Amino acid sequence: MPKVTIYDMTGKSVGERDLSDAIFGIVPNKVVLHAVIKNYLANQRQGTQSTLTRTEVSGGGKKPWRQKGTGHARQGSTRAPQWTHGGVALGPKPRSYRYTLNRKMRVLALKSALSAKVLEQELVLVDDIKVEGFKTKAVVEMLKALGVDRKALIVTADVDRMLVKSAGNIPGVKTTIVGSLNSYDILNAGKMVVSASAIDKIEEVYSK
């Protein structure tokens, strides 16, 4: 059973906690993680790229020269793809890149990502994450005290508007709640700073 140290916001150790083996102690499944991350990134794509075909570019209404007798290859329009300023042949058009994976894969990937963070000692457990007022300085000081000096993901059980606003303009720092947690954000972060109440909620939700 994985065991982690509990800190307060000043970086002081205030105890230890055993984490669920079924969530934080599994062998990370790299194949499933890759599939889920690929799915997440595909679903973020807007798919709004578009090129003009020969029917959509302006001009080209007149046949450039007669069909036979000129020595040239026959042409019907100056807006065909082989002409300068012609349309694009087989170019991209707006489309959706979305596809779905089943819930079992997504849950396994999330557990794999959480277990990987514990294995790499990149999960920092804080007894309570709370800021008084909209103060970026308080979040910066907390991260510094906890030894978090690169990209970080701060996870709380519920939305804390003051924390979200305070951390919003710190480069590389992202805040989220348990209900919005995903494998990509976990792996993309250098350190994962989690409140004790968020751990309780994760174990409650994903132990089923």
Side-chain angles (χ1 to χ4, degrees):
M1 183 175 284
K3 182 177 286 188
V4 293
T5 304
I6 305 173
Y7 299 93
D8 62 16
M9 288 183 64
T10 64
K12 181 182 176 183
S13 173
V14 294
E16 289 186 332
R17 171 168 178 160
D18 290 325
L19 301 176
S20 169
D21 254 340
I23 300 171
F24 297 94
I26 71 170
V27 177
N29 189 318
K30 294 182 180 180
V31 174
V32 171
L33 268 172
H34 177 266
V36 171
I37 297 300
K38 186 178 174 184
N39 170 249
Y40 176 85
L41 293 174
N43 290 349
Q44 304 308 303
R45 295 184 69 174
Q46 290 185 324
T48 53
Q49 72 277 36
S50 184
T51 53
L52 299 180
T53 65
R54 62 181 294 169
T55 63
E56 295 169 316
V57 292
S58 60
K62 183 181 177 183
K63 188 173 175 66
W65 49 74
R66 67 180 188 270
Q67 184 80 343
K68 294 177 180 289
T70 64
H72 294 297
R74 54 194 173 188
Q75 300 290 331
S77 170
T78 56
R79 292 299 167 252
Q82 72 270 21
W83 286 76
T84 303
H85 306 303
V88 175
L90 307 176
K93 283 293 185 182
R95 55 164 287 195
S96 172
Y97 291 89
R98 292 191 67 84
Y99 66 97
T100 58
L101 295 177
N102 63 58
R103 185 177 183 276
K104 281 187 177 180
M105 284 186 71
R106 288 184 278 113
V107 170
L108 178 57
L110 187 68
K111 290 178 179 179
S112 295
L114 291 169
S115 296
K117 283 297 175 192
V118 174
L119 279 172
E120 294 164 9
Q121 297 183 338
E122 291 183 339
L123 187 146
V124 182
L125 180 55
V126 183
D127 59 350
D128 190 28
I129 302 175
K130 190 160 292 202
V131 293
E132 301 296 330
F134 300 102
K135 295 182 179 178
T136 298
K137 185 179 178 181
V139 180
V140 170
E141 288 177 348
M142 177 191 75
L143 295 175
K144 187 176 180 180
L146 295 170
V148 180
D149 54 0
R150 50 199 176 110
K151 290 170 73 173
L153 177 66
I154 302 175
V155 185
T156 53
D158 301 297
V159 176
D160 182 339
R161 189 164 160 267
M162 288 187 181
L163 176 64
V164 173
K165 289 284 187 181
S166 298
N169 60 348
I170 304 174
V173 175
K174 182 176 181 178
T175 58
T176 188
I177 60 173
V178 173
S180 300
L181 203 55
N182 65 75
S183 304
Y184 177 81
D185 285 341
I186 294 171
L187 294 181
N188 191 45
K191 290 278 183 80
M192 184 177 173
V193 182
V194 194
S195 68
S197 58
I199 290 288
D200 292 336
K201 201 164 185 178
I202 289 171
E203 292 186 340
E204 177 189 345
V205 171
Y206 293 105
S207 62
K208 299 174 183 177

